[in-house]
Amino acid sequence: MEMDWVPTYLNSFPYSIFFALCLFLVMAGDSLPLSHLGSPVHLLHSDVDKGDGSIKYILSGEGASSIFIIDENTGDIHATKRLDREEQAYYTLRAQALDRLTNKPVEPESEFVIKIQDINDNEPKFLDGPYTAGVPEMSPVGTSVVQVTATDADDPTYGNSARVVYSILQGQPYFSVEPKTGVIKTALPNMDREAKDQYLLVIQAKDMVGQNGGLSGTTSVTVTLTDVNDNPPRFPRTKTSYTLRIEAANKDADPRFLSLGPFSDTTTVKIIVEDVDEPPVFSAPLYPMEVSEATQVGNIIGTVAAHDPDSSNSPNPSQVGRGYVAITILDINDNAPEFAMDYETTVCENAQPGQVIQKVSAVDKDEPSNGHQFYFSLTTDATNNHNFSLKDNKDNTASILTRRNGFRRQEQSVYYLPIFIVDSGSPSLSSTNTLTIRVCDCDADGVAQTCNAEAYVLPAGLSTGALIAILACVLTLLVLILLIVTMRRRKKEPLIFDEERDIRENIVRYDDEGGGEEDTEAFDMAALRNLNVMRDTKTRRDVTPEIQFLGRPTFKSIPDNVIFREFIWERLKEADVDPCAPPYDSLQTYAFEGNGSVADSLSSLDSVSSNSDQNYDYLSDWGPRFKRLADMYGTGPESLYS
């Protein structure tokens, strides 16, 4: 339970006096633990106090000198005894700073209130219990029987310590209880007083809205079924035959004939009752039974009884009777307690000794009748550690506190704290749960910023933005290196052309009969055709020359080395001025065979434009490779078609 202060401003509040509430928990049943007695609750300091001992502080009011004392030199206020909210919830104190020599006040007196905050240290109690109630038999489901009420001494305005929910521990399936109101109602129809006329119920009230870790109290309710007229009259069943005497009389006899005798007669009738096959009947409509969850297989948990109403008590193989058995499974303590959740605990590098860094709680799958009670402690190996301590809050929770300051992620970024938890079962069970604590860099408010230990290998003062910029530069450099390596590998690869893409294939093959060249658009053959010509000017290719050559031009021969230089130089100048030329590091291939060919160009681009017959006899002088053309275009007798 925390102690906080609320200035009442009954007097003019001296702003030059600073009250600081220390983060100090007052636990152990609204009480100050003995290990913390004397720890400061408030800090009183005056602006005129220069720390030279000239100022002293005094305290007066409720509990001054007996419950609360003040260090006259430092202004620290201490609690000297346990504090219980249920005994007194508020203390009104007055503090003042005095000049030590003159004993005169240097600040106006200030009044403030210390409020004792509640913890869940009181279980719900049924002040009116045990209860007795009655309900008519055969009542429909949901009929109200009685309302039970539990009270909790804890503070109803703080947390859930006094918020109670109700449950039924014994009395099912006959009765139920509403969780919020405590109203007990019938849960089964046709409850027969003649079969069972009284029931004992056990009702539980649990605070903390019924959550794990809450305290509980129980009460008993005795419910009696009152009688209603639900049984018609029945003759007893004693006989297999009946003898009846029956009289018949004439109601309207004629007086004139009365002398003839009585006008009535009697006879005897014997009735024999024949047996019929009836189903067996159970001795009770419902058999309630209880069995512990630890019961071994084969143990008897109860008995039922039935009888055959037939006179011969025959086996009756064709008739079946039905009864009902309600079995309640009783819980045993067979589950050890464990952490209520997976805790993510952090401690700041600048944490001070005594700071609470985590509050842990436990859960248990068992459901003891008196509620759970857990006890926390550090394991034997962890008791003497110099980093963290544990304080059992006595309310099914425990607080983890620091024992030193100056945690450093460079030295150790993660701590593992084993915590021993014991329940209150009989016999009690225990378990060890490990709490993982990470050391983090925190801001001024104590909020963790980063907990990664890897950040410490970076130079001091390196920000997150700088780290991102460095990583981006490294990534860009890697991409550039990859591109350069890829381009160099492509340069080293030989330029291999397949047959279909070879630039020399622009010379049309003449493998079949028919016309001449058909593809002269894909490549400019003039570059190869006119290598032996020393050109003074370069004719534009997009203008059709006006002069048509009637014969093949004659070219001036020049040395081969000049031809190659001229050829390469022309190609270089064209590439320099061509915006669509390949990159500087691309490979250029030129099919050039040089001088010495005995044949002129075969291109039709240089053919005469007249329709007159041409002499192709020179084809016969070119060798066997041009024999087919010579046969097709020659004028000799061998060119005639067969």
Side-chain angles (χ1 to χ4, degrees), residues 604-623:
S604 61
L605 298 177
D606 291 336
S607 301
V608 294
S609 59
S610 65
N611 295 328
S612 62
D613 294 336
Q614 300 184 35
N615 186 5
Y616 295 100
D617 292 341
Y618 58 86
L619 295 176
S620 301
D621 299 333
W622 288 3

Side-chain angles (χ1 to χ4, degrees), residues 434-614:
T434 301
L435 184 68
T436 302
I437 305 174
R438 300 187 182 276
V439 181
C440 300
D441 179 28
C442 304
D443 58 15
D445 297 327
V447 179
Q449 299 298 311
T450 176
C451 304
N452 297 327
E454 293 79 359
Y456 300 105
V457 301
L458 299 175
L462 189 61
S463 64
T464 303
L467 176 61
I468 295 175
I470 292 175
L471 293 178
C473 292
V474 172
L475 181 61
T476 304
L477 182 60
L478 291 177
V479 172
L480 289 176
I481 293 175
L482 181 61
L483 290 176
I484 293 173
V485 171
T486 303
M487 294 174 64
R488 287 184 177 179
R489 287 184 178 178
R490 289 184 177 178
K491 281 185 178 182
K492 295 179 181 180
E493 295 177 356
L495 184 59
I496 301 176
F497 294 91
D498 55 25
E499 184 177 353
E500 294 181 356
R501 298 184 60 185
D502 193 342
I503 60 175
R504 291 172 294 180
E505 290 302 317
N506 288 283
I507 301 177
V508 179
R509 297 173 181 237
Y510 296 94
D511 292 338
D512 55 357
E513 299 179 1
E517 298 181 2
E518 298 179 0
D519 185 5
T520 58
E521 298 296 330
F523 190 84
D524 185 8
M525 298 297 296
L528 299 178
R529 190 174 299 118
N530 301 325
L531 292 178
N532 297 333
V533 180
M534 293 294 292
R535 292 178 293 225
D536 296 333
T537 59
K538 189 173 183 181
T539 307
R540 292 180 57 184
R541 297 178 181 177
D542 57 340
V543 179
T544 304
E546 298 179 357
I547 301 175
Q548 301 290 339
F549 293 98
L550 299 179
R552 296 185 179 276
T554 59
F555 304 106
K556 180 180 179 181
S557 297
I558 58 176
D560 285 346
N561 57 347
V562 178
I563 295 174
F564 283 113
R565 274 201 311 272
E566 177 68 9
F567 176 77
I568 295 175
W569 182 251
E570 292 293 336
R571 301 285 80 74
L572 179 60
K573 289 193 297 182
E574 290 181 3
D576 287 342
V577 299
D578 187 1
C580 299
Y584 66 92
D585 57 351
S586 63
L587 182 63
Q588 301 290 336
T589 302
Y590 299 101
F592 175 59
E593 63 182 18
N595 282 337
S597 175
V598 297
D600 291 328
S601 174
L602 297 180
S603 174
S604 61
L605 298 177
D606 291 336
S607 301
V608 294
S609 59
S610 65
N611 295 328
S612 62
D613 294 336
Q614 300 184 35

Side-chain angles (χ1 to χ4, degrees), residues 370-402:
N370 294 326
H372 288 292
Q373 182 62 50
F374 300 118
Y375 305 94
F376 300 84
S377 64
L378 295 180
T379 61
T380 304
D381 298 338
T383 302
N384 297 323
N385 81 91
H386 301 290
N387 301 310
F388 306 98
S389 62
L390 181 144
K391 181 174 63 177
D392 193 332
N393 299 328
K394 308 301 182 183
D395 61 349
N396 291 340
T397 65
S399 297
I400 310 301
L401 300 92
T402 55

